[in-house]
């Protein structure tokens, strides 16, 4: 019995040699049961073509792990082995849910998702991909929404070079096999983003399709999900997004989504974050809405929501008892549709309102370009003015004590988004309102606060002299995009 060594939250990989037969994609299976002390986890393997069956596992606990294989391939069935997992103090581990409203790394370090969307940057030329990496490296974004399948939509009319299945649009696709070269490239892209500290919110299905991938038979969908999870669950920066705008996938029922979510939960031993994203706006009565998936499902770790109004965030947090991520809130840009032509100031305001109200917000950028390379879909170069201001907000959250903001509906201050972290830290945001002063009646009587006035657009922080108490009059600049940072004295 051989034994190898792996660092905590890195990848153990087993490669078994089998006959070179494409029928392994559909007819053969391989699993392993990994055991550490009393903990046992079962993992699926995947056929990698060319006579290779691969099995991957990301150990989350230091110490010895033993495994035993099971397979309908006699030469693999019953094989066993072991490896030793070393603690990695420098590694913080995958992102996971932290209580009812926030996220943290596996070691407990708070994680504040500041996401962006570039749906099919991974399908672009090497030059555009290189631009995307460079743009991300210079940005505050630590999460990116991206698709597995190509996208057919405005400004997305070029035919991709590679697909998840062998074939092309002229001759059709062989859905009984997977295109290993495509998945090799996808893995390299995910690994590069991990090295950059960026989480991959991977969109498994979407409706914008001319190739037939949005309406595959259920058997093919289930096999695709298993293959995807088997290949990628050992990457620590994966988040599973069941769909972008799931309710536009008309061929898939609610029962399909229930089972797909359950399948991922069963087959992912690393318990990555899971969400599903909507198109229709939700009504007040979530449970009765036929167009919005019920985020009460305990298998969903957080709610991924498309909506333009951040002031619903507290209501959603209360309803679902889990973190709220607004993964589309309109995009900074100038395309001809309202979802893609808000100002940079509005984009920044969405982030501030969302954060102060206890949620998280995802950026998007849709500026017209002669080469039709638009960030929201293709990646490339970031051009907007919001990025630097979003970086400023992220720095404010990450500096100093951990922030676990929850919206505070104090008094009649309806014109201010207020978030409190514990009892001694708060952020107030006035957005487009321009008060020349504020009566601080929302503060707890008897408490005293150090206050700083933040110009969220100019990115300046100005301390207020002295301490502020309940009922004090606080002089303000009388212009938009002002926030307050309060720390209890």
């Amino acid at each position: 019995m051989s034994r190898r060594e792996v660092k905590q939250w890195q990848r153990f990989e087993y490669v078994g040699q089998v006959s070179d037969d494409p029928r392994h994609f559909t007819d053969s299976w391989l699993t392993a049961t990994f055991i550490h002390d009393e903990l046992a986890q079962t993992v699926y393997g995947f056929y990698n073509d060319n006579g290779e069956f691969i099995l991957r596992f990301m150990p989350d606990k230091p110490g010895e792990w033993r495994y035993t294989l099971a397979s309908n391939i006699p030469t693999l069935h019953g094989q066993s082995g072991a490896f030793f997992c070393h603690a990695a103090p420098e590694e913080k581990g995958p992102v996971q849910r932290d209580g009812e409203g926030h996220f943290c790394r596996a070691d407990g370090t708070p994680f504040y998702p500041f996401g962006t969307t570039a749906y099919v940057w991974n399908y672009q030329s090497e030059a555009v991909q290189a631009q995307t990496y460079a743009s991300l490296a210079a940005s505050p974004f630590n999460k990116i929404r991206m698709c597995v399948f190509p996208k057919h939509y405005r400004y997305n009319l070029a035919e991709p070079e590679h697909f998840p299945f062998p074939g092309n649009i002229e001759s059709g696709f062989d859905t009984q096999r997977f295109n290993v070269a495509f998945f090799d490239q996808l893995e390299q892209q995910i690994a590069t983003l991990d090295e950059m500290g960026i989480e991959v919110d991977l969109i498994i299905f979407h409706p914008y399709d001319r190739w037939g991938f949005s309406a595959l038979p259920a058997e093919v969908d289930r096999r695709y999900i298993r293959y995807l999870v088997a290949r990628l669950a050992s990457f620590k920066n994966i988040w599973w997004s069941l769909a972008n705008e799931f309710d536009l996938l008309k061929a898939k029922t609610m029962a399909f989504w229930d089972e797909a979510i359950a399948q991922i939960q069963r087959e992912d031993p690393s318990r990555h974050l899971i969400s599903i994203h909507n198109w229709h706006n939700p009504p007040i009565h979530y449970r009765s809405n036929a167009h919005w998936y019920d985020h009460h499902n305990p298998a969903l770790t957080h709610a991924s929501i498309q909506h333009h109004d951040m002031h619903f965030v507290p209501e959603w947090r209360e309803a679902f008892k889990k973190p709220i991520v607004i993964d589309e809130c309109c995009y900074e840009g100038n395309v001809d549709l309202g979802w893609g032509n808000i100002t940079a100031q509005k984009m920044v305001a969405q982030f501030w309102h969302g954060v102060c109200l206890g949620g998280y917000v995802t950026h998007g950028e849709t500026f017209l370009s002669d080469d039709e390379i638009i960030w929201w879909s293709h990646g490339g170069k970031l051009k907007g003015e919001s990025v630097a201001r979003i970086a400023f907000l992220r720095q404010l959250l990450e500096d100093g004590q951990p922030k676990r903001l929850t919206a505070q509906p104090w008094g009649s201050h309806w014109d201010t988004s207020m978030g409190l972290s514990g009892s001694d830290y708060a952020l107030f945001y006035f957005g487009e309102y321009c008060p020349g002063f504020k009566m601080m009646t929302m503060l707890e009587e008897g408490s005293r606060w150090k206050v700083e006035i933040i110009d969220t657009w100019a990115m300046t922080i100005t301390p207020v002299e002295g301490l502020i108490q309940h009922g004090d009059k606080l002089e303000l600049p009388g212009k938009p995009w002002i926030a307050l940072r309060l720390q209890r004295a």
Side-chain angles (χ1 to χ4, degrees):
M1 180 185 296
S2 61
R3 189 177 86 162
R4 289 155 46 188
E5 297 187 353
V6 179
K7 282 188 175 182
Q8 187 179 14
W9 296 308
Q10 297 300 311
R11 182 177 305 110
F12 169 82
E13 184 170 283
Y14 167 89
V15 180
Q17 298 300 320
V18 298
S19 61
D20 185 1
D21 188 337
R23 288 177 296 181
H24 286 307
F25 282 114
T26 54
D27 297 346
S28 302
W29 57 269
L30 171 68
T31 66
T33 299
F34 288 86
I35 297 176
H36 176 282
D37 293 335
E38 300 300 317
L39 175 67
Q41 299 187 61
T42 299
V43 180
Y44 278 89
F46 62 93
Y47 185 56
N48 197 44
D49 220 347
N50 301 314
E52 284 187 344
F53 236 109
I54 297 178
L55 192 145
R56 294 169 171 170
F57 178 63
M58 181 177 67
D60 60 348
K61 297 184 184 303
E64 184 174 71
W65 289 83
R66 296 178 177 273
Y67 63 90
T68 302
L69 306 185
S71 178
N72 63 349
I73 304 171
T75 57
L76 299 181
H77 184 76
Q79 290 192 27
S80 61
F83 67 89
F84 190 84
C85 176
H86 291 278
E90 75 283 359
E91 178 58 68
K92 298 181 182 302
V95 176
Q96 58 191 28
R97 177 172 152 184
D98 184 15
E100 292 186 352
H102 301 284
F103 300 93
C104 66
R105 294 284 182 183
D107 72 342
T109 303
F111 179 82
Y112 309 97
F114 279 77
T116 188
T117 295
Y119 287 120
V120 286
W121 74 273
N122 46 316
Y123 279 90
Q124 308 310 309
S125 68
E126 289 187 6
V128 173
Q129 290 185 43
Q131 289 178 343
T132 305
Y133 287 131
S135 296
L136 288 170
S139 81
F141 303 125
N142 57 11
K143 179 175 86 76
I144 186 168
R145 299 179 70 230
M146 57 183 282
C147 298
V148 180
F149 287 123
K151 183 177 182 181
H152 171 72
Y153 193 62
R154 293 190 187 199
Y155 315 107
N156 289 268
L157 303 177
E159 194 67 11
E161 184 177 352
H162 300 292
F163 298 88
F165 299 104
N168 54 59
I169 196 167
E170 290 82 14
S171 59
F173 295 93
D174 182 0
T175 59
Q176 303 301 298
R177 302 172 60 187
F178 293 99
N179 182 356
V180 169
F182 170 85
F183 284 98
D184 284 343
Q185 177 176 281
L186 180 62
E187 289 175 8
Q188 293 168 9
Q189 292 160 338
I190 293 169
T192 299
L193 292 169
D194 186 31
E195 292 170 2
M196 298 170 66
I198 297 173
E199 304 294 299
V200 174
D201 202 353
L202 193 65
I203 297 167
I204 299 174
F205 297 102
H206 69 79
Y208 300 102
D209 173 44
R210 65 172 178 266
W211 304 274
F213 301 139
S214 62
L216 295 169
E219 177 188 356
V220 176
D221 281 339
R222 287 192 294 268
R223 187 164 57 242
Y224 158 64
I225 292 172
R226 175 163 294 173
Y227 191 81
L228 198 66
V229 173
R231 285 198 76 118
L232 301 181
S234 61
F235 288 79
K236 70 176 184 295
N237 61 325
I238 283 288
W239 300 22
W240 305 117
S241 175
L242 264 293
N244 184 70
E245 299 180 341
F246 88 97
D247 39 333
L248 294 183
L249 286 149
K250 304 300 185 183
K252 302 188 189 303
T253 65
M254 285 292 190
F256 168 85
W257 297 114
D258 292 343
E259 175 50 34
I261 292 166
Q263 180 182 355
I264 292 174
Q265 188 181 44
R266 286 193 309 269
E267 298 182 8
D268 177 5
S270 300
R271 301 176 297 280
H272 289 294
L273 298 170
I274 305 176
S275 69
I276 188 168
H277 172 272
N278 65 288
W279 180 62
H280 286 89
N281 287 335
I284 296 299
H285 301 294
Y286 313 101
R287 295 179 189 274
S288 63
N289 179 27
H291 299 295
W292 218 47
Y293 190 84
D294 185 0
H295 292 288
H296 295 90
N297 184 340
L300 295 180
T301 53
H302 62 286
S304 171
I305 294 174
Q306 177 174 193
H307 205 279
H308 63 280
D309 191 344
M310 300 303 103
H311 289 87
F312 285 106
V313 167
E315 183 178 346
W316 291 328
R317 266 190 61 172
E318 176 61 27
F320 303 132
K321 307 296 184 185
K322 57 186 62 174
I324 305 299
V325 182
I326 307 300
D327 273 319
E328 283 190 49
C329 65
C330 297
Y331 300 146
E332 176 189 1
N334 59 3
V335 297
D336 62 325
L337 296 168
W339 52 258
N341 53 36
I342 65 172
T343 64
Q345 290 87 346
K346 178 65 174 177
M347 182 90 259
V348 176
Q350 296 286 60
F351 270 78
W352 272 90
H353 281 302
V355 166
C356 289
L357 294 170
Y360 298 95
V361 184
T362 296
H363 158 273
E365 188 179 287
T366 46
F367 284 103
L368 294 169
S369 173
D370 290 340
D371 59 10
E372 294 197 348
I373 302 297
I374 301 176
W375 178 267
W376 131 92
S377 196
H378 311 102
K381 296 180 180 179
L382 285 162
K383 303 169 184 176
E385 296 181 277
S386 68
V387 174
R389 281 83 186 177
I390 295 168
F392 176 68
L393 173 57
R394 177 180 167 184
Q395 183 177 0
L396 286 174
L397 281 191
E398 292 184 345
D399 285 350
Q401 67 191 74
K403 319 297 189 304
R404 290 294 182 249
L405 291 164
T406 300
Q408 297 299 308
W410 284 316
S412 60
H413 299 270
W414 54 268
D415 57 345
T416 312
S417 292
M418 302 181 181
L420 186 65
S421 177
S423 61
D424 59 359
Y425 183 97
L427 284 179
F428 296 173
Y429 181 59
F430 300 107
E432 63 187 6
Y433 295 99
C434 307
F437 67 91
K438 190 72 173 177
M439 301 304 297
M440 303 297 284
T441 54
M442 76 290 290
L443 299 179
E444 179 186 357
E445 291 192 31
S447 64
R448 299 190 303 163
W449 298 78
K450 173 187 173 183
V451 178
E452 295 163 300
I453 298 174
I454 301 173
D455 186 323
T456 66
W457 187 254
M459 296 180 285
T460 60
I461 302 174
T462 304
V464 173
E465 187 174 345
L467 297 175
I468 301 299
Q469 303 180 63
H470 173 86
D472 283 353
K473 179 180 181 181
L474 178 65
E475 299 292 340
L476 294 172
K479 62 179 184 178
W481 323 126
I482 297 300
L484 303 178
R485 178 166 62 180
L486 295 86
Q487 298 177 76
R488 190 185 292 263

